[in-house]
């Protein structure tokens, strides 16, 4: 996670803060999207480099249904070396603006290397799925999208203070870190490349 923060989070904090502006939920944080998952004091802002420390990995459990009616759980993380979970909302322009690039990224990688799962934070299972399907089609974000439910809310959405928020997990399901805010495809590409090199 130190490398993730050094490569991406620290240099882009201001630009990401400007890009995202959609209000989200806040609650108890099982994972903290902009710092080490188990760091009690938050991200290191001192500018000094610290040595790699051993941290207990964080794992989540959830179960949801994608737009085709398939059940998706944390077991999906084992299907790829790296999984990006992108939490978005139907009202969020920065979310929708970055989704075409995410759709391209999803198609450019072998699924065994990298995959994306979208989570729609403002539409719950049983609600307006047609709206979500239309937005996914319009943006070309052809990867699985899950509607919110209690399980997903407890595992992920309670950690979200703004959308988009993106979480990364390795093939064993361990949380690697997260980013609050939208980014260009090239920025995501650089981060994905670095994270895959670490796996």
């Amino acid at each position: 996670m130190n490398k993730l923060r050094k490569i991406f989070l620290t240099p882009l904090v201001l630009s990401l803060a400007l890009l995202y502006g959609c209000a989200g939920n806040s609650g108890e944080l099982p994972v903290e999207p902009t710092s080490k998952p188990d760091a009690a004091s938050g991200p290191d802002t001192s500018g000094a480099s610290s040595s790699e420390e051993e941290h207990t990995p964080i794992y989540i459990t959830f179960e949801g249904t994608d737009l085709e009616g398939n059940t998706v759980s944390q077991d999906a993380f084992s299907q790829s070396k790296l999984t990006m979970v992108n939490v978005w909302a139907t009202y969020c322009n920065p979310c929708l603006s970055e989704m075409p690039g995410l759709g391209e990224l999803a198609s450019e990688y072998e699924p065994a290397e990298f995959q994306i799962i979208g989570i729609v934070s403002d539409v719950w299972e049983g609600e307006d799925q047609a709206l979500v399907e239309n937005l996914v089609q319009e943006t070309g974000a052809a990867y699985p999208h899950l509607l919110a439910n209690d399980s997903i809310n407890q595992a992920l959405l309670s950690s979200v203070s703004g959308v988009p928020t993106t979480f990364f997990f390795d093939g064993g399901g361990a949380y690697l870190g997260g980013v609050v805010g939208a980014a260009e495809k090239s920025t995501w590409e650089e981060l994905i490349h670095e994270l895959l090199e670490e796996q």
Side-chain angles (χ1 to χ4, degrees):
M1 179 59 195
N2 279 340
K3 191 168 186 180
L4 173 70
R5 190 173 66 242
K6 287 177 192 170
I7 293 168
F8 191 74
L9 299 179
T10 303
L12 294 178
V13 157
L14 292 176
S15 62
L16 290 175
L18 292 173
L19 286 172
Y20 97 92
C22 303
N25 302 321
S26 64
E28 296 301 317
L29 300 178
V31 292
E32 193 168 307
T34 56
S35 68
K36 289 188 235 180
D38 54 349
S41 61
D44 177 12
T45 57
S46 66
S49 63
S50 59
S51 62
E52 288 285 328
E53 297 176 24
E54 291 298 319
H55 296 284
T56 304
I58 291 178
Y59 299 89
I60 62 167
T61 58
F62 68 93
E63 187 172 289
T65 305
D66 70 13
L67 298 178
E68 281 83 45
N70 303 309
T71 299
V72 178
S73 72
Q74 70 281 350
D75 294 338
F77 299 152
S78 67
Q79 298 171 7
S80 191
K81 284 173 66 176
L82 181 66
T83 299
M84 173 191 229
V85 177
N86 179 254
V87 179
W88 62 282
T90 59
Y91 59 81
C92 173
N93 286 330
C95 300
L96 299 173
S97 295
E98 78 173 347
M99 285 169 63
L102 296 181
E104 291 172 12
L105 285 170
S107 68
E108 291 170 4
Y109 284 87
E110 291 296 323
E113 285 288 304
F114 173 73
Q115 66 179 341
I116 301 175
I117 298 172
I119 303 218
V120 190
S121 63
D122 66 323
V123 179
W124 283 63
E125 289 179 357
E127 291 182 1
D128 194 0
Q129 183 170 322
L131 170 64
V132 175
E133 290 171 346
N134 288 339
L135 291 172
V136 167
Q137 184 175 5
E138 287 172 16
T139 59
Y143 44 86
H145 295 268
L146 310 180
L147 301 180
N149 64 23
D150 289 337
S151 174
I152 290 170
N153 186 54
Q154 183 176 356
L156 288 162
L157 298 182
S158 62
S159 300
V160 174
S161 60
V163 286
T165 292
T166 302
F167 301 99
F168 290 93
F169 297 87
D170 69 16
Y175 174 64
L176 300 175
V179 177
V180 178
E184 296 293 325
K185 177 187 172 186
S186 59
T187 305
W188 287 126
E189 250 173 341
E190 181 182 343
L191 177 57
I192 291 162
H193 177 74
E194 295 291 337
L195 290 173
L196 283 171
E197 280 189 342
E198 293 178 2
Q199 303 308 309

